[in-house]
Amino acid sequence: MLRAIYIAIAISLLGNLGMAQQSDHAVSSESQQIAVDAMLERANLELQRNQFIEAQKILVSAKEIASDSAIYAKAQIVQTRLYSFTGQLEQADRNISKLEKIISKDSPSYIELLLVKADVKIKEGDFVVADAALKLISTLKAENSNKELATQLEYQRANLYLHTNNLEQAIEIYQRIIPQLNRQNLFFFETKAAYNLAEAYFKNSNLEQANIAVTSAISTANALDFKGIELDSYLLKSSIAKGLGNFQQAWDYLNRYTLIKEKTVAAANAITNDPKIASTIDKQTAEISNLKKLITNQDSTIKGRNMYSILFLILLTLLSLLTLSLFKNNKLRARSNVTLEVKNSALIDERDRAQDAAKIKADFLSTITHELRTPMYAVTGLTHLLLETKPRQDQQDHLETLQSSGEYLLSLIDNILDFNKLEANKVELEKIPFDLKKRVEDITVSLKNQAKDQLNNLNLEFDTNIPSRIEGDPVKISQILINLVGNAIKFTKNGNIWIRVSQVKQIEDKCLIRFEVEDNGKGISDEKQEDIFNNFTQEGSSTTREYGGTGLGLAIVKNLVELMGSKIELDSKIGRGSIFTFDLWFELPDTNKFYEENSTKGYDHFNDEEEYPEHKKLTRSSQKSNSEVEEDEKNEEVQSDEKINKAEKDPITKTHNTDEKSKPSPAENPIISLKHATPQDLISKKILIVEDNKINQMITRKILEGKNFDCDIANNGIEALAKIKETQYDLVLMDIHMPGMDGKQCTREVRKFDRELPIIALTAVTLDESEKEFYEIGFDDIIPKPFKMNEFFEKIQKAFTNYQIY
Ligand code: ADP
């Protein structure tokens, strides 16, 4: 309270400072002391706020009015403190030396001087002297009576510890005296102690505690306007923040420090002309500019670091977004997977249902067509038998219509069956060695009557360069050609049909063969040329009426050609005729291999040269019309009796003899001549009909008996086997599908003990049945069922090479 009153008086005095200076020098010693003390207090305050100019002014005035030496000494102590604050340490030293001599050792000012001395010496780094000064204060025991002094002493000791790196002791003292300083209202020292504590912690690498202490120092310094401490605290705070990795804060505080430091230096500069001080100030200015540079660098580093931080944040955000979108995507995918699975299974169900429906359709058609064959056999067979009974002319006409209708129905059934199989992808290609020339000639011969009926010439042009054996599927090639040539005959009247087979090229073990079927018949309009290859398509509704047909033939041809990897071409003009062309690749078999294969399989009773002996005559000519063929037939009929006799003497089995000696060589191959068989010739020939269907048994038997053959019946394979073992047959006609032992099994059994007996399979060799398999089992030939009569007898003929049956 008393202190406050002094200060108030001093302030009022200070307000009238100028007046006081002029008026009265004879102020009483007591009031002088009070005034000077107040002024010095004020000067100290200004010092604490770094208001050096103000402090200096007050000090000058205080010294002027202090006539008493003790009072003057007090002012000089404050002056020394000012020197210490502004870094003018030499001046401070000089003052201390002077004052040590003047001030009495037992006065309180002496202790104050020692405190200032210790402070200055610590700043100078002269710790021994500083220590001595502090120890001297202790010996004077002045602190016992003055608590404030005791705390200040402690404070300076802590400073000494701090500067001599006795950090633990320094920290301990600061922590202890800070609350005391606060209680004693020594706020400046309290704040300074907080700052020093922060520095001690900082030096001791305890950044967290350093930060707490410096933050407290800043807030008090800021509130009480202790500019110096505030300034130093900013710098320390900046370093601490940097150490804690808080670069933005470090930069902020460094920046604040620099700004205040600039002003402080300018203020210090203003109160001195001392060149040394000027150099100190220069140093400080240089330090400031260094700091500015540092700030700029740090700024850019911080900015850089900030940039990194920003980039890192962006990256983190992107990654999070990515993860989120992946997560969402996954969820979506999982959901759409489920949807897809549901749809998939629905589609699979649909597909299965469609496949089932297609299978049912295919199976139905297959069953129906097979079932239709048996009654159709009865129709065509019985019609044939009736025609043989020399009917009346009107009956004859009806029977012929019945026969042609039956044959049309048969071909329709065959086509439907074949097409059904092609559609169901049940058709597989065979690859067996065969003689293409013979195949084509067979077709020519079998269609010659049909051509004759239409008054057409059937011409075959077969390229002799084509190898005699090629590998492929003979059944399907025959089927294609029969369809094309059949159409050509059907749609041509009084014209010409050319079957051309030529080799396009031969590369290593492959050859490309071109097939052409040309006619000069009615031709096909441009619009219809694409359509006619589709199912059930004919040129117009009148076509059915005029020519019959189903519109399936060309669809089958197209599919078969494509199945063999080619394409069928059509060139046609209305009124000029049509040319159907396709090229097929065939592999050339290794001849030796072929014979090896056959011999090892034990089918040596059958070889290609004996395949169709009756047609050997055709192989001599490559280009013969059917009229020429007929001419040849006539010539052949008048061949020498010697040859005929030789042939007659030859039993049928000879044809199948594999004995090299008995087998005619290709050069001396006898041309087998035919004569019409007389009933006597055939009466002794025994044929076994193996057939489970009673109607078929009856018809086949009647047809054959009509030719005077001696027929026997077996209802199944087992019966047939027994009969063959006990009776010498000349020919067996073997049905294939029978209950119990089927035709194939029966033939296998027969071949175990009789390799010579001719066995002909009576079956529908359809697209997917393998001819090769039949020959491998040991059949000598195949008659397609139900058969057209002329085809049937042609095949039977082969078994009786020396007779012409019809
Ligand atoms: P189909 O002969 O049973 O009617 P195809 O599929 O074999 O069935 O033939 C389809 C149609 O193509 C025939 O109806 C006919 O109009 C036409 N066509 C086929 N070949 C010839 C040809 N060589 N000359 C003229 N028209 C033909």
Side-chain angles (χ1 to χ4, degrees), residues 83 99 101 103 286 452 469 548 605 621:
Y83 289 143
L99 289 167
K101 285 170 199 158
I103 300 173
K452 227 191 273 176
R469 286 201 159 273
H605 71 278
S621 161

Side-chain angles (χ1 to χ4, degrees), residues 415 483-484 487-488 490-492 519 522-524 532 534 537-540 543 548-555 578 580:
N415 275 348
N483 262 303
L484 292 176
N487 274 347
K490 196 159 70 169
F491 297 104
T492 308
D519 65 69
K522 69 194 266 290
I524 306 161
I532 55 163
N534 296 330
T537 308
Q538 295 185 316
E539 239 217 304
T543 313
T550 57
L552 270 178
L554 287 181
S578 317
F580 289 87

Side-chain angles (χ1 to χ4, degrees), residues 1 32 34 72 76 101 232 236 318 325 362 367 378 386 405 430 433 450 476 501 533 552 617-618 688 747 768 772 798:
M1 188 58 160
Q32 191 189 108
I34 292 168
Y72 184 82
Q76 273 302 91
K101 285 170 199 158
D232 294 341
L236 183 59
L318 283 176
S325 76
T367 318
L386 285 172
S405 300
E430 273 203 81
Q450 216 176 308
K476 279 156 200 123
V501 186
F533 291 102
L552 270 178
K617 58 187 183 276
L618 286 171
L688 177 65
T747 307
D768 62 344
K772 191 181 169 193
K798 283 191 228 165

